Amino acid sequence: MKCNFILTTAQQALAEENLPLIDKVLSLFINTDEAVCGLSYSDLYQEGAVALCRAASTYDGTSAKFSTYAKTVIRNHLLNCCKSVNARQRNLPVISLDVDYTAEDGPPPFAEPSTSDGVDELLGRLDIADLLADCKRRYTGVARLGVEALELKVKGLTGADIARLYGAKPNQVGAWISRAAQKIRKDIVENRLPHL
């Protein structure tokens, strides 16, 4: 929505008094998705704020109570935003996981910020390819997904890249990797996998 309007002091005060309407509309009518650009809570809240200002600038004071009018304006605008984002998502290319990635196809050469969960250190000390192949044969479920995600991380993909490939949220990929790392550590301690 273009912001080609200026609010008067009274309209600005009206919008400020009714900021909680944005949260109410988001919780009642909209499903946010932090993994999709444009559908995160903060993105939609900003769009809702613009719609609230638009409602304050166009409110005539006679047709309905402002909160009722503003909720409708905000809801309609947010639904249009969601439709627009979903239409863009449908046009994104799909990448097959069966394709080997080369340096040319891989992500840019900058490093992803790392957390100090020990996974990167553990991977650095192991014969990664053999270990992950062995774990992939042994594990099922979430642990296997974590091993597959670790293989992709070793190839240079970020957690966000992996999430897009699997159609999952980045925090889910992190949970998969955490589960796989936990299982690998346990198997090493119990001598089911080679020692470090």
Side-chain angles (χ1 to χ4, degrees):
M1 175 183 281
K2 290 187 178 183
C3 299
N4 54 2
F5 54 90
I6 297 175
L7 297 178
T8 64
T9 306
Q11 291 170 336
Q12 192 174 10
L14 187 62
E16 288 174 1
E17 290 169 9
N18 288 281
L19 280 173
L21 289 175
I22 302 168
D23 283 320
K24 188 176 279 188
V25 170
L26 281 169
S27 65
L28 290 174
F29 302 107
I30 307 295
N31 290 325
T32 61
D33 187 349
E34 298 299 321
V36 177
C37 182
L39 292 183
S40 69
Y41 178 83
S42 60
D43 291 336
L44 292 173
Y45 188 90
Q46 289 176 12
E47 288 290 339
V50 171
L52 177 63
C53 290
R54 172 70 72 191
S57 73
T58 58
Y59 181 62
D60 62 9
T62 59
S63 58
K65 201 168 129 180
F66 178 73
S67 61
T68 306
Y69 174 72
K71 276 192 249 182
T72 304
V73 171
I74 294 168
R75 186 193 74 217
N76 291 342
H77 177 69
L78 290 178
L79 289 173
N80 287 338
C81 287
C82 292
K83 287 177 187 175
S84 174
V85 169
N86 285 329
R88 281 187 305 227
Q89 290 293 317
R90 275 184 255 134
N91 296 326
L92 289 177
V94 178
I95 300 173
S96 171
L97 294 177
D98 297 331
V99 176
D100 287 334
Y101 293 96
T102 64
E104 297 167 3
D105 297 333
F110 53 86
E112 177 184 20
S114 178
T115 58
S116 59
D117 60 359
V119 172
D120 292 331
E121 181 182 332
L122 175 67
L123 290 175
R125 296 185 299 172
L126 299 172
D127 182 8
I128 298 169
D130 291 338
L131 174 73
L132 293 178
D134 186 40
C135 291
K136 197 171 177 180
R137 284 189 298 271
R138 293 170 180 257
Y139 300 159
T140 60
V142 174
R144 182 182 171 102
L145 286 172
V147 171
E148 291 173 3
L150 285 170
E151 286 178 325
L152 293 171
K153 258 188 157 315
V154 168
K155 290 181 181 180
L157 281 109
T158 64
D161 294 333
I162 297 166
R164 277 192 295 277
L165 290 172
Y166 279 88
K169 294 182 179 181
N171 60 347
Q172 285 178 308
V173 172
W176 299 343
I177 291 173
S178 177
R179 176 67 180 126
Q182 178 185 19
K183 194 161 175 84
I184 290 169
R185 284 187 199 104
K186 181 180 176 189
D187 286 351
I188 289 172
V189 168
E190 294 176 0
N191 293 322
R192 288 187 234 159
L193 291 175
H195 282 285
L196 302 176

